[in-house]
Amino acid sequence: WEAAWDTGENKEEEEESVGQSGPSWMQDCVVSMSPCSDLLVVAREHKAVFLSAKWRTDDSGKEEMTLAVSWTGTLSADEGECVSSSICIPLASQKRSSTGRPDWTCVVVGFTSGYVRFYTENGVLLLAQLLHEDPVLRLKCRTYEIPRHPGVTEQHEELSILYPASLVTIDGFSLFQSLRACRNQVARAAAAGSDVIQPPPLAYKKWGLQDMDTIVDHSSVGIMTLCVFDQMKNASILGGYNSSVKGSPPAMAQYVTVGGGPFTGFYYAVEGSSQPLLSHVAMAVASKLTSALFNAASGWLGWNKHKNEEEAPQKHRPKVEPATPLAIRFGLPDSRRHGESICLSPCNTLAGVTDDFGRVSLLDLARGIAIRMWKGYRDAQLGWLQVPEERSIREFSPSASLPRRHALFLVIYAPRRGILEVWAMQHGPRVGAFNVGKHCRLLYAGYRLMGVNSVTSQGWQLHTQQVCLLDPTTGALRTVNVPFHLALSDKKSERAKDMHLLRRLTTVLKSREVEPDVLESEAKSVLLDIKHPAIKKQALESLLSNKNAPVSCLTNITSALYDTLKDQDPEEVDPALLQLCSSQLKLLQLYSDIQQLHSAADAEPSSDPVRGVTHTKLTLLIFMFNLLDYCCVVVTLSLYKRVHFCVSFEGNFLFWGCLCGKSSLHKVCDTLQQAGISPQQLLSLLLSMWLQREKEILQRPEETVRNLHTLLMALSNMKVEDSWDPQSISPWWQQVRNTCIQSHNAAAALLAALVAHCAAKHMYRSQRIKHWLIISGGATAQCSIKMLLEGGTGGVADSVSKWVFRHNLVPERLKEILQKKEDKDSDDKTEPRQGGTEKEKEKQEDNDKMAVRQRFPNSLSPDLLFAHCCWEYVVQWNKDPEVHIHPEKQLESSSGISTMMWSTFIVKRFSAAAFLMEKVGKAPKDRLCRRDVGMGDKAVTSFLGCCVQLLQILMEADSAVEEVTPPEISVDEVWCGAEGPASIAELALEQRGVHYPLVQHHCLLASLLHAAMMFSLKVKPLSLFDSKGKNAFFRDLTTIQLMPSGDMDPGVVALRQEFLLRVLTGWVQAIDTPSSSTSGSGSVPLPSNGPTADWWPSLCLDLGSLLQVNPDILRRHLVCELYNQGLDLRAEEVMLEVEDKDVLGSQLLVLTGQRLSYSLLHSQSQTQPAMELLARLPPTLCTWLKAMDPSELRCPLVPLTQTSRLVSRLIEILPENHAQYSLALHLLEAVEALTTED
């Protein structure tokens, strides 16, 4: 602490004074702390130290929060002024992601010169205000608090500054905006290298406090509104009984001051009686102001204007506005008593006042009287604690629906006695006293974050401390926390005390380092001290659920509680608590006995992992806590469904040793019978453990099946037979059947059913068990009999379709398996017995699949199975559209399934893709696709291709609907009486037929979208159709819509033609490969999909005929593009289909001229023969070649043989009377001459 004051000049003097005065040096300092406990300011005279919260790791490796020096220096700017008061105001963050932590903290410091300066936590000066020319006595702040009750006036934020005879209040909103703006301006000035900062004006009010001799402290209570009675009383006192009263009570701001003559003064300022003033700091700007309102609005504009003009005026003291007189309303007169400080309560209704007689007075601010006084507290320091009611206490309260209550405590620190006391308000007792030392400082802020309102504080957790005690001898900072129940009395206090004891027990149980003896004694004392039965039961359950408590400790504690309850009057004991203790003692004894049986059976440590775990304390926790419901009066199976893992663990603990033959069956059963647990619950535990451990059971079937039979017989002998009709089903064995039906472990369920059947008839058919074991051993499908029965006629096909999807079985492979049944016998006879293990394994799998098909011949018919597989594929694709699943591959000619897929899953994403492309006018990027369509751009391209195929399948199915008879769905005999949902195939057959023109209309749009995405083209796809065509899109395919007819508008046809030409250009550029461009070969096979697929030209021609575009224009464009790309052979193939040869010849003539011009004029490797040939050419041809632009060619380096072949083609297709026929002959001669020279 002392080192923070060293400046180098008077270091020795300060060290000497510190050594003489000891730790009392802090009493002479101005100390303030942020309510968030993250900033501490210590100031003395003109120096100050800022300490910020930082995490530090001590020598033991434990992390703790410390306050470390973050800034130290001199605060005063004028000669002779000293620090007289300071506060730290945390400012709330304006970000939406804020959770209640402050954005930054502003340090406000008052000086003896009258200046109030505002600093950042790093000591950077933000703002300096001279509002009055007397010393600043106190700085206090009020922040927003959410009203706890309706009708309470919502208080505004403000900063109040007390001078010897004046009080200045700065509006909190204005201050918050000014400080934020100044901080931003400081950052900009620092970045620009300038120190000139023009602060904005502050809106404030200035009151001249009259009729009081001396004032040393104050409190701004806030806005208050009098009731009608108080309004009439005040009017009568001030103006007599004839005075008139206004219709509505005026709102007033209440200020309370302490000092002398009178001892306490009450001031009331009526709202609207004084207009807010503005601080005239900006001298150059102040002359331009016309009104206070304009000043408040325009003060934010142009702070850095006229810098040169402002530098000189800033050296002069600003103008100080006169104060508005405010007369005292009344006071507490005491001529000999002088007040020293006043501390306002958080609820703004009470205040604590200290005086020079060593008294602490409690004031009722609403009535203006002192209601309580404490003696013997000279130099006392005060603080308030407002404690909310615990939620756990609120649950037991009869008024649980009302708002949470708050308890108010007054904290008094008496430095003369070195004691800290806590008193309950208003007339409550002292609830706590602590010896803390004589040189501490009690730090109470009385406010929270500035800049919070009712909207921004929703969901915030304000992390603020109310009262802290700073000890300068140790440097420790302690907080004061008081339990809520200390404010209660009588029965309420007893319940609250019980909750306090419960929390104390919970704290002990959470500690991992507590010895068992200490835990037992502490828990026993707490359980016996708790009075309320419900809380005592909660404490016992918490103890029993603790994983660190040994069995002996739990037994002793539960036994002591049980004995205490038995000794009490039966009428005063809660029966449920007594039943709980009794059942828990039985459970503890049962656990001990079972564990002893297992330990005796194990001659050496077991290698079984589950047996090893049962000897841990964790197993005891799970075992006891989850068997609790089994032993209560009302027994249900809800726990089995709720905590499946824990129940199987309990079954392992009780029965697995018996099933393995490691424990005595009869001893375990006798122990369980003595424990009094219901046989039905034991049966449920046994079956759940049996079904969970299927793999271990199948490894040793003989032994486990025999022991299961013995256990079932023993448990059935334990049960008490209810009165049921012998002709009906026994509830005992019905429980076994229900459990086996719901199980997904087919092999274990089958074994359990057979053993239960044998036990019920006192028979044991081991041969049949072995037979069924071999059949069911390979069953691994996750389905149960209950699921199949509830799935309806399509349940089996649905399960198989899920299996097909999980194994990614291609349709061709599935079709091969389904067709194998017909020629199975011939395959067995002709297939030789040679091949690898993989081939035999594949053959075995196919045999298993055919066996399933034989079991359900109708449910797994090809049509039904393909329909379910297709539906499963599209369902899985809808969950994850990024996965490239092609459900159309499962379809052949099913119109119903296709219609259902389109309307349920596809049309929504298809329309989203169309609207997105229409909006952006081009193929959208990945981000937009993910936002609007729900998948990436590559997935959208693949999806649109699938849409085209699906709509083509729909058209093919609709065309063949008259030729193909609808299939009939046959049902297997086993499902005749079953109830359940209709199968997908049945729903598909119920679908109406589609409207072919509408499907073709959508297929046309899908093809356009697919082409635009594939080649990344600019297009607005819906703009290629008229209003009728647009309205018909995305309608139900089974409805008849008004379709486009007749000739289309030429402008729309031109757009369509331009788009198709760009598609052809994109395809030509995509198929260009190095091999094809160099050799010109057209024999390179193209793939069947993607941008280089060979069907794109034919698709464009088909689309052209549907879109009223001349196909010959498309063919001529394709020929030119292929020649342009250097793919001459492919161009010659397409040239044969062109009808208008004359136009094509003119186009190719220009392209030939560009090639020749590049070879003769623009090639970098020009030869001497080429130059000589150019000189011999006819002038017209030479001029024509020079006018050609070879840069339009994408592949100008074409062999001369290909160009010669192209010119020959030109001569063939051009008629002799063509205008450019002679030019073509000249070209032929030039190319032949050039070829000869090469």
Side-chain angles (χ1 to χ4, degrees):
W1 291 90
E2 293 81 0
W5 303 101
D6 297 342
T7 58
E9 299 176 358
N10 50 358
K11 182 175 181 180
E12 297 179 357
E13 296 178 5
E14 289 186 358
E15 288 182 351
E16 184 179 353
S17 63
V18 169
Q20 292 175 357
S21 61
S24 61
W25 61 271
M26 185 173 285
Q27 304 303 325
D28 300 329
C29 297
V30 176
V31 183
S32 62
M33 187 171 184
S34 168
C36 298
S37 303
D38 56 356
L39 184 65
L40 177 67
V41 175
V42 183
R44 183 177 182 182
E45 295 181 354
H46 58 278
K47 293 178 296 183
V49 177
F50 294 179
L51 299 98
S52 301
K54 294 181 180 179
W55 285 100
R56 187 186 69 177
T57 304
D58 57 9
D59 299 336
S60 61
K62 182 180 179 182
E63 290 188 350
E64 59 181 3
M65 180 69 77
T66 60
L67 288 171
V69 176
S70 59
W71 181 86
T72 178
T74 302
L75 294 178
S76 62
D78 294 349
E79 184 178 355
E81 66 177 0
C82 299
V83 176
S84 58
S85 180
S86 71
I87 59 172
C88 303
I89 305 178
L91 274 69
S93 174
Q94 298 299 296
K95 297 178 181 179
R96 293 186 178 181
S97 59
S98 177
T99 58
R101 298 298 300 176
D103 188 17
W104 63 287
T105 303
C106 178
V107 180
V108 187
V109 183
F111 293 87
T112 55
S113 61
Y115 264 102
V116 178
R117 294 185 175 91
F118 301 83
Y119 300 87
T120 66
E121 54 266 79
N122 298 323
V124 179
L125 177 63
L126 295 178
L127 197 60
Q129 298 289 330
L130 182 62
L131 304 175
H132 197 67
E133 292 185 336
D134 289 334
V136 176
L137 299 182
R138 284 294 173 90
L139 296 171
K140 292 195 176 181
C141 181
R142 183 175 68 240
T143 55
Y144 175 80
E145 290 286 342
I146 300 176
R148 298 201 312 269
H149 305 286
V152 178
T153 306
E154 193 173 85
Q155 301 297 334
H156 300 290
E157 298 180 324
E158 72 172 14
L159 173 67
S160 57
I161 308 168
L162 180 67
Y163 298 92
S166 299
L167 177 66
V168 174
T169 60
I170 301 177
D171 178 63
F173 177 77
S174 173
L175 178 63
F176 179 74
Q177 299 296 340
S178 297
L179 292 177
R180 288 186 62 220
C182 285
R183 186 167 179 259
N184 295 338
Q185 186 69 5
V186 165
R188 294 192 189 100
S194 173
D195 295 334
V196 178
I197 301 170
Q198 182 58 54
L202 288 175
Y204 68 96
K205 292 183 180 181
K206 186 175 180 180
W207 305 100
L209 304 179
Q210 299 179 343
D211 306 323
M212 195 164 175
D213 296 341
T214 58
I215 300 176
V216 296
D217 200 1
H218 78 290
S219 281
S220 176
V221 182
I223 304 298
M224 59 173 297
T225 303
L226 296 176
C227 64
V228 178
F229 176 80
D230 290 340
Q231 183 188 10
M232 296 176 66
K233 179 189 69 173
N234 293 339
S236 300
I237 293 176
L238 296 176
Y241 61 91
N242 289 325
S243 61
S244 60
V245 179
K246 295 182 179 180
S248 59
M252 299 178 293
Q254 183 182 16
Y255 306 105
V256 183
T257 59
V258 295
F263 160 61
T264 304
F266 289 80
Y267 294 86
Y268 294 88
V270 178
E271 286 293 293
S273 61
S274 175
Q275 294 298 323
L277 302 172
L278 288 168
S279 61
H280 291 195
V281 180
M283 301 299 293
V285 182
S287 61
K288 303 178 184 178
L289 301 181
T290 57
S291 65
L293 180 62
F294 179 75
N295 189 358
S298 64
W300 311 100
L301 305 176
W303 297 343
N304 288 326
K305 294 180 181 179
H306 312 291
K307 291 183 180 179
N308 298 329
E309 300 177 9
E310 293 170 4
E311 289 179 357
Q314 281 183 346
K315 297 179 181 179
H316 300 285
R317 298 178 72 85
K319 179 184 176 182
V320 177
E321 296 288 342
T324 302
L326 185 64
I328 191 172
R329 177 71 61 87
F330 61 88
L332 299 179
D334 193 334
S335 60
R336 299 176 56 195
R337 190 184 307 273
H338 293 272
E340 294 180 345
S341 68
I342 181 171
C343 188
L344 182 65
S345 68
C347 57
N348 295 336
T349 58
L350 302 175
V353 179
T354 62
D355 56 42
D356 57 350
F357 285 173
R359 307 295 199 265
V360 176
S361 304
L362 183 64
L363 300 184
D364 185 340
L365 301 180
R367 294 185 292 169
I369 60 174
I371 58 177
R372 192 171 183 179
M373 182 176 287
W374 292 266
K375 297 181 181 180
Y377 293 90
R378 192 171 298 275
D379 300 328
Q381 301 171 27
L382 305 181
W384 291 92
L385 274 176
Q386 186 171 258
V387 182
E389 182 179 18
E390 293 93 339
R391 298 189 183 275
S392 54
I393 298 178
R394 198 65 177 160
E395 294 174 358
F396 294 100
S397 174
S399 58
S401 59
L402 298 178
R404 293 174 66 186
R405 298 176 295 174
H406 289 72
L408 192 61
F409 299 94
L410 177 63
V411 181
I412 305 176
Y413 169 58
R416 298 289 183 96
R417 294 188 290 162
I419 188 172
L420 183 75
E421 297 181 348
V422 183
W423 293 81
M425 294 291 102
Q426 295 178 11
H427 301 283
R430 187 178 75 171
V431 298
F434 310 92
N435 293 318
V436 294
K438 297 184 178 182
H439 304 288
C440 301
R441 287 291 291 269
L442 187 69
L443 304 177
Y444 171 69
Y447 56 91
R448 293 194 179 188
L449 271 69
M450 178 170 282
V452 179
N453 54 47
S454 58
V455 178
T456 59
S457 61
Q458 295 295 328
W460 278 15
Q461 297 292 333
L462 299 180
H463 307 279
T464 56
Q465 301 291 345
Q466 298 188 54
V467 178
C468 298
L469 187 72
L470 180 61
D471 189 351
T473 57
T474 61
L477 185 68
R478 299 184 178 90
T479 61
V480 181
N481 296 308
V482 182
F484 175 83
H485 69 83
L486 294 179
L488 304 177
S489 60
D490 303 333
K491 294 182 180 180
K492 296 181 181 178
S493 179
E494 287 185 2
R495 186 186 298 272
K497 181 182 178 182
D498 288 349
M499 294 302 302
H500 187 67
L501 291 172
L502 177 61
R503 286 195 298 273
R504 177 176 149 196
L505 176 62
T506 304
T507 304
V508 174
L509 293 176
K510 287 182 180 179
S511 177
R512 299 182 179 181
E513 301 176 356
V514 179
E515 296 294 332
D517 297 338
V518 177
L519 175 63
E520 181 178 343
S521 60
E522 183 73 15
K524 190 181 296 184
S525 64
V526 168
L527 277 173
L528 297 180
D529 288 343
I530 294 177
K531 306 297 183 183
H532 199 273
I535 303 178
K536 192 186 290 284
K537 179 181 178 182
Q538 186 178 352
L540 179 60
E541 291 175 350
S542 300
L543 177 66
L544 293 172
S545 63
N546 183 259
K547 61 183 180 181
N548 297 321
V551 183
S552 59
C553 175
L554 296 177
T555 304
N556 296 335
I557 296 172
T558 310
S559 178
L561 179 60
Y562 182 73
D563 295 339
T564 304
L565 294 176
K566 293 289 290 183
D567 295 340
Q568 295 179 5
D569 187 0
E571 296 181 357
E572 299 178 357
V573 177
D574 185 13
L577 180 61
L578 190 64
Q579 172 68 20
L580 175 65
C581 293
S582 175
S583 62
Q584 291 303 313
L585 284 175
K586 290 182 180 179
L587 283 175
L588 289 167
Q589 188 62 40
L590 173 64
Y591 175 81
S592 302
D593 295 342
I594 296 293
Q595 195 174 33
Q596 289 179 2
L597 290 174
H598 289 335
S599 301
D602 291 338
E604 55 187 27
S606 173
S607 60
D608 193 334
V610 176
R611 287 295 303 276
V613 173
T614 56
H615 294 289
T616 63
K617 298 173 184 177
L618 178 62
T619 307
L620 173 62
L621 155 76
I622 299 174
F623 169 72
M624 292 184 52
F625 190 70
N626 292 283
L627 268 180
L628 188 63
D629 288 350
Y630 289 155
C631 306
C632 294
V633 179
V634 181
V635 179
T636 64
L637 283 174
S638 62
L639 186 63
Y640 170 73
K641 298 177 182 178
R642 190 171 68 248
V643 196
H644 190 263
F645 171 76
C646 298
V647 169
S648 63
F649 229 97
E650 294 159 9
N652 287 323
F653 177 75
L654 292 175
F655 299 114
W656 182 245
C658 302
L659 289 175
C660 296
K662 297 180 179 180
S663 301
S664 174
L665 290 171
H666 298 289
K667 289 183 179 180
V668 171
C669 292
D670 293 342
T671 305
L672 293 175
Q673 188 170 9
Q674 294 174 5
I677 302 177
S678 167
Q680 285 80 5
Q681 305 303 325
L682 294 175
L683 177 62
S684 177
L685 283 175
L686 174 62
L687 292 176
S688 103
M689 182 273 303
W690 175 270
L691 296 173
Q692 285 295 318
R693 308 201 64 174
E694 183 182 58
K695 292 183 180 179
E696 293 92 335
I697 290 169
L698 295 178
Q699 291 175 0
R700 45 179 105 174
E702 294 286 346
E703 182 181 12
T704 53
V705 167
R706 188 183 304 109
N707 292 330
L708 176 65
H709 181 269
T710 307
L711 278 173
L712 283 177
M713 293 295 295
L715 293 178
S716 61
N717 293 331
M718 289 171 54
K719 69 181 179 67
V720 179
E721 288 291 344
D722 299 328
S723 57
W724 55 279
D725 187 5
Q727 300 298 325
S728 62
I729 300 175
S730 168
W732 175 265
W733 301 112
Q734 183 62 33
Q735 178 181 350
V736 179
R737 275 188 288 272
N738 292 337
T739 306
C740 293
I741 284 177
Q742 297 176 7
S743 173
H744 288 210
N745 301 316
L750 178 61
L751 284 176
L754 291 173
V755 173
H757 181 70
C758 296
K761 293 189 175 184
H762 301 283
M763 296 173 64
Y764 187 65
R765 302 175 182 177
S766 59
Q767 296 298 326
R768 184 178 181 187
I769 290 175
K770 289 181 180 178
H771 172 69
W772 280 104
L773 177 61
I774 294 172
I775 292 178
S776 63
T780 58
Q782 290 296 316
C783 63
S784 63
I785 298 176
K786 182 179 180 181
M787 289 174 56
L788 292 177
L789 291 175
E790 293 177 352
T793 56
V796 176
D798 185 60
S799 300
V800 174
S801 67
K802 288 181 171 57
W803 179 88
V804 168
F805 173 79
R806 285 197 303 269
H807 289 77
N808 197 19
L809 203 65
V810 295
E812 293 76 11
R813 177 66 177 154
L814 182 61
K815 191 180 299 184
E816 178 185 349
I817 294 172
L818 293 175
Q819 293 175 352
K820 229 174 197 180
K821 178 189 174 186
E822 301 174 358
D823 50 359
K824 177 177 180 298
D825 297 334
S826 60
D827 288 348
D828 292 341
K829 293 178 181 179
T830 58
E831 185 178 355
R833 292 191 176 182
Q834 59 182 1
T837 309
E838 293 294 332
K839 193 171 183 180
E840 295 177 359
K841 183 178 180 181
E842 183 179 345
K843 180 182 177 182
Q844 181 62 35
E845 291 179 356
D846 291 348
N847 292 336
D848 294 339
K849 294 162 190 161
M850 286 188 292
V852 176
R853 170 80 194 282
Q854 290 174 359
R855 295 280 182 184
F856 307 100
N858 296 322
S859 298
L860 295 180
S861 61
D863 289 340
L864 195 63
L865 185 56
F866 271 108
H868 279 272
C869 288
C870 181
W871 189 258
E872 180 65 23
Y873 267 73
V874 76
V875 167
Q876 297 297 334
W877 168 84
N878 189 61
K879 294 179 181 178
D880 187 6
E882 295 289 341
V883 179
H884 294 286
I885 300 174
H886 302 282
E888 75 282 349
K889 293 181 180 179
Q890 300 281 352
L891 295 171
E892 291 181 351
S893 59
S894 175
S895 175
I897 289 291
S898 303
T899 306
M900 291 170 59
M901 288 169 50
W902 175 263
S903 59
T904 307
F905 299 106
I906 297 177
V907 69
K908 182 179 179 181
R909 297 184 189 270
F910 178 71
S911 61
F915 288 131
L916 175 61
M917 195 177 299
E918 180 74 14
K919 180 180 179 181
V920 300
K922 60 181 180 179
K925 300 297 183 182
D926 186 80
R927 181 182 63 84
L928 294 176
C929 291
R930 293 184 186 277
R931 186 193 68 183
D932 288 14
V933 191
M935 62 184 94
D937 53 352
K938 294 182 180 179
V940 169
T941 306
S942 176
F943 162 69
L944 293 174
C946 294
C947 291
V948 175
Q949 298 181 38
L950 180 65
L951 293 169
Q952 289 175 349
I953 292 173
L954 265 174
M955 290 190 291
E956 294 173 2
D958 186 69
S959 302
V961 68
E962 298 179 358
E963 303 174 3
V964 180
T965 58
E968 295 182 1
I969 298 179
S970 303
V971 181
D972 293 325
E973 184 179 356
V974 69
W975 309 116
C976 290
E979 297 181 357
S983 66
I984 296 298
E986 294 173 351
L987 295 176
L989 291 177
E990 295 175 0
Q991 299 295 316
R992 293 185 299 168
V994 297
H995 184 47
Y996 185 90
L998 185 59
V999 179
Q1000 187 184 43
H1001 192 55
H1002 281 83
C1003 186
L1004 182 61
L1005 177 63
S1007 300
L1008 297 176
L1009 295 175
H1010 186 217
M1013 288 297 298
M1014 184 65 72
F1015 299 107
S1016 300
L1017 302 178
K1018 290 185 177 181
V1019 66
K1020 290 191 174 184
L1022 300 181
S1023 302
L1024 302 180
F1025 299 89
D1026 58 5
S1027 58
K1028 292 181 182 179
K1030 294 178 182 178
N1031 294 332
F1033 283 130
F1034 318 123
R1035 304 287 184 180
D1036 188 359
L1037 298 181
T1038 60
T1039 60
I1040 299 177
Q1041 300 293 331
L1042 189 61
M1043 304 297 297
S1045 59
D1047 294 336
M1048 187 60 61
D1049 180 56
V1052 177
V1053 175
L1055 292 176
R1056 294 174 173 180
Q1057 177 179 312
E1058 181 184 359
F1059 174 73
L1060 293 177
L1061 294 180
R1062 289 204 303 268
V1063 173
L1064 291 173
T1065 302
W1067 177 74
V1068 171
Q1069 294 177 0
I1071 65 172
D1072 183 27
T1073 59
S1075 59
S1076 63
S1077 62
T1078 56
S1079 63
S1081 173
S1083 61
V1084 178
L1086 296 176
S1088 59
N1089 51 25
T1092 60
D1094 55 356
W1095 44 263
W1096 280 108
S1098 59
L1099 174 65
C1100 289
L1101 294 175
D1102 295 341
L1103 293 178
S1105 61
L1106 295 174
L1107 296 174
Q1108 300 182 11
V1109 177
N1110 186 359
D1112 200 55
I1113 296 177
L1114 301 178
R1115 294 190 186 96
R1116 292 201 304 267
H1117 178 78
L1118 179 59
V1119 171
C1120 294
E1121 288 296 322
L1122 289 171
Y1123 274 120
N1124 196 350
Q1125 198 72 34
L1127 305 175
D1128 291 20
L1129 293 183
R1130 295 188 187 276
E1132 292 176 6
E1133 295 175 2
V1134 183
M1135 190 189 302
L1136 300 176
E1137 303 175 6
V1138 176
E1139 298 176 359
D1140 194 343
K1141 305 288 186 179
D1142 295 351
V1143 178
L1144 179 63
S1146 300
Q1147 293 173 337
L1148 294 180
L1149 188 64
V1150 174
L1151 194 142
T1152 308
Q1154 291 172 346
R1155 285 186 179 183
L1156 195 58
S1157 174
Y1158 181 83
S1159 301
L1160 295 176
L1161 301 174
H1162 299 277
S1163 177
Q1164 295 180 356
S1165 59
Q1166 291 182 354
T1167 61
Q1168 185 69 23
M1171 298 302 295
E1172 294 177 356
L1173 174 64
L1174 186 62
R1176 294 198 304 267
L1177 290 178
T1180 55
L1181 179 60
C1182 186
T1183 305
W1184 184 76
L1185 288 177
K1186 290 180 180 179
M1188 294 291 105
D1189 185 11
S1191 62
E1192 298 178 1
L1193 294 174
R1194 285 193 294 271
C1195 183
L1197 290 174
V1198 180
L1200 285 174
T1201 55
Q1202 293 187 23
T1203 306
S1204 176
R1205 185 181 179 89
L1206 173 58
V1207 176
S1208 302
R1209 293 286 183 183
L1210 275 174
I1211 300 298
E1212 294 177 3
I1213 64 176
L1214 284 176
E1216 295 183 1
N1217 58 353
H1218 196 275
Q1220 295 174 326
Y1221 186 77
S1222 61
L1223 186 62
L1225 293 176
H1226 290 313
L1227 278 177
L1228 180 60
E1229 294 174 0
V1231 171
E1232 290 178 350
L1234 191 60
T1235 306
T1236 305
E1237 294 293 340
D1238 289 347

